[in-house]
């Protein structure tokens, strides 16, 4: 968001009856009380997980950014995008039930790239609202199952190496991966 266009504090809340938003693609959207929005004290800035709004849009005049990286409930995003008839790449991603841990990683990565491009960039604090951390999912699979499913002859060490490059913690015991 263009930080200089934000009025007061940011909140994530349900839209109020009668609220509207002009989306980044210049569409007027009537919101209902079931629609989750990112808002400031003046009103909605974005439809959570679906589409950004025009009011705080970043453009060539933008000097200060407000970065947001979030994760939203897959079912809620799906219902909102269907109800409002707005399908975007963002809504499709959130509908896939992403792990909430990606939001923090995305913020760190994006901030890093901004710092590389804008050497004089100054970063303020952050606010992480994370109600319940997910427990990691543990999978057990035999390397033969991976070869059979993928139709490849990849060696065990290469399977482990590939998974580790994806930031997965891997243990191998004989032909069983955990």
């Amino acid at each position: 968001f263009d930080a200089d266009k934000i009025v007061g504090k940011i909140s994530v809340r349900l839209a109020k009856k009668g609220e509207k938003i002009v989306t980044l693609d210049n569409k007027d959207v009537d919101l209902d009380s079931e629609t989750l929005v990112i808002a400031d004290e003046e009103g909605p800035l974005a439809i959570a997980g679906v589409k950004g709004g025009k009011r705080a849009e970043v453009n060539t005049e933008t000097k200060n950014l407000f970065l947001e990286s979030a994760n939203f409930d897959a079912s809620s995003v799906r219902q909102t995008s269907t109800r409002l008839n707005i399908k975007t790449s963002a809504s499709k991603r959130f509908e896939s039930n992403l792990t909430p841990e990606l939001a923090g990683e995305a913020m760190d990565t994006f901030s890093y790239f901004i710092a590389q491009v804008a050497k004089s960039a100054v970063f303020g604090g952050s606010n992480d609202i994370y109600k319940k951390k997910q427990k990691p999912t543990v999978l057990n699979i035999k390397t033969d199952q991976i070869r059979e499913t993928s139709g490849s002859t990849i060696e065990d060490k290469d399977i482990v190496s590939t998974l580790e490059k994806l930031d997965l913690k891997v243990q191998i015991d004989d032909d069983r991966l955990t």
Side-chain angles (χ1 to χ4, degrees):
F1 299 100
D2 184 325
D4 297 325
K5 297 175 185 173
I6 295 172
V7 178
K9 294 184 178 183
I10 295 270
S11 64
V12 178
R13 62 168 174 81
L14 292 173
K16 298 173 186 168
K17 187 176 180 177
E19 280 188 314
K20 299 176 186 247
I21 189 170
V22 177
T23 58
L24 290 170
D25 56 355
N26 292 311
K27 292 185 179 160
D28 291 311
V29 178
D30 294 320
L31 303 172
D32 59 39
S33 60
E34 295 179 46
T35 302
L36 191 65
V37 296
I38 292 123
D40 65 4
E41 292 175 13
E42 201 170 279
L45 297 168
I47 303 167
V50 178
K51 190 80 171 177
K54 196 83 172 157
R55 187 164 56 85
E57 176 182 26
V58 172
N59 60 35
T60 57
E61 305 297 314
T62 299
K63 303 243 184 291
N64 298 298
L65 295 173
F66 179 93
L67 304 181
E68 175 231 2
S69 180
N71 192 349
F72 302 104
D73 178 71
S75 177
S76 173
V77 171
R78 187 177 306 106
Q79 290 170 9
T80 297
S81 68
T82 300
R83 192 172 59 254
L84 298 177
N85 196 26
I86 302 173
K87 293 290 184 188
T88 62
S89 58
S91 67
K92 289 175 187 167
R93 274 192 301 278
F94 285 115
E95 289 174 20
S96 297
N97 203 17
L98 300 171
T99 179
E101 282 76 16
L102 291 176
E105 291 177 28
M107 179 63 78
D108 292 344
T109 301
F110 189 50
S111 298
Y112 170 81
F113 285 120
I114 288 174
Q116 297 305 302
V117 172
K119 299 290 185 190
S120 62
V122 177
F123 292 85
S126 64
N127 186 15
D128 189 6
I129 301 169
Y130 195 0
K131 292 183 180 180
K132 184 178 177 187
K133 297 217 182 241
Q134 283 188 331
K135 291 182 181 179
T137 301
V138 177
L139 302 174
N140 293 296
I141 190 167
K142 291 187 174 190
T143 52
D144 284 342
Q145 288 175 281
I146 293 173
R147 282 188 280 276
E148 185 178 317
T149 302
S150 66
S152 72
T153 57
I154 189 170
E155 294 183 30
D156 289 3
K157 66 179 176 60
D158 294 325
I159 293 172
V160 171
S161 172
T162 301
L163 293 171
E164 288 175 339
K165 287 177 186 172
L166 295 171
D167 267 348
L168 299 174
K169 294 177 185 164
V170 182
Q171 294 177 337
I172 185 163
D173 185 20
D174 291 325
D175 66 342
R176 181 168 293 282
L177 294 176
T178 304

